[in-house]
Amino acid sequence: MATTETSAEPLSIGEVAEQTGLSVHALRFYEREGLLVGPVQRTSGGRRRYTTSDVDWLLICVKLRESGMPLVDLKRFAELVRHGSGNEAERLRLLDAHRQRVDAQIQALEECRSVIAWKVGVYAEHLARGEAGGLWDPTA
């Protein structure tokens, strides 16, 4: 994934929030919880300065979290990345397990969508024929 801007200039926390969709509070939380792969640089005044690599990593984190990856797994993944090469098999196991969970969620949602589509069809057919009265009417 690439950031929307390719500038080598350091980014403020507000700019990173805008690019990632995370709030400033969430960015601070990610830093506190060890979810970043490197330390966030600071100005002499203590303001956070992010790199495009930080933003790229955060965009991955956002997708992993949006897809339901538990924080503990995301934290472990970040820890593995921070440690560098030699643990790729463990990273793969972690990501593959998450992919399997996401695949199961997708399958369950597709089954739900199928039931909903069937029910929409039943109602549409009855309404088109003018025979909608009494559909799931508990008083009928």
Side-chain angles (χ1 to χ4, degrees):
M1 297 184 93
T3 58
T4 54
E5 293 183 23
T6 57
S7 169
E9 291 293 316
L11 302 165
S12 70
I13 195 168
E15 291 168 325
V16 173
E18 186 177 315
Q19 287 187 25
T20 62
L22 293 168
S23 67
V24 168
H25 176 75
L27 288 167
R28 289 181 184 128
F29 173 80
Y30 271 46
E31 184 180 355
R32 247 188 344 269
E33 291 298 312
L35 298 173
L36 302 175
V37 292
V40 175
Q41 300 302 310
R42 304 249 181 181
T43 66
S44 58
R47 293 186 181 269
R48 290 170 175 83
R49 301 309 287 171
Y50 295 85
T51 65
T52 54
S53 292
D54 293 328
V55 174
D56 289 342
W57 173 256
L58 286 163
L59 290 170
I60 291 168
C61 290
V62 165
K63 291 303 176 191
L64 291 173
R65 288 293 296 144
E66 283 178 354
S67 62
M69 180 178 269
L71 278 173
V72 66
D73 288 352
L74 184 55
K75 188 182 279 192
R76 178 66 181 146
F77 185 55
E79 179 183 312
L80 291 168
V81 171
R82 269 194 306 275
H83 281 100
S85 63
N87 60 32
E88 292 81 2
E90 188 174 349
R91 292 185 217 177
L92 174 61
R93 280 190 298 274
L94 194 147
L95 290 171
D96 190 50
H98 181 61
R99 183 190 52 79
Q100 289 177 30
R101 286 190 303 269
V102 169
D103 287 346
Q105 291 172 331
I106 290 169
Q107 182 178 346
L109 285 171
E110 286 174 345
E111 291 170 7
C112 292
R113 182 177 57 195
S114 178
V115 169
I116 293 166
W118 166 74
K119 202 63 193 158
V120 165
V122 167
Y123 274 82
E125 182 181 320
H126 279 80
L127 283 170
R129 291 193 319 234
E131 301 172 0
L135 280 175
W136 290 86
D137 184 351
T139 63

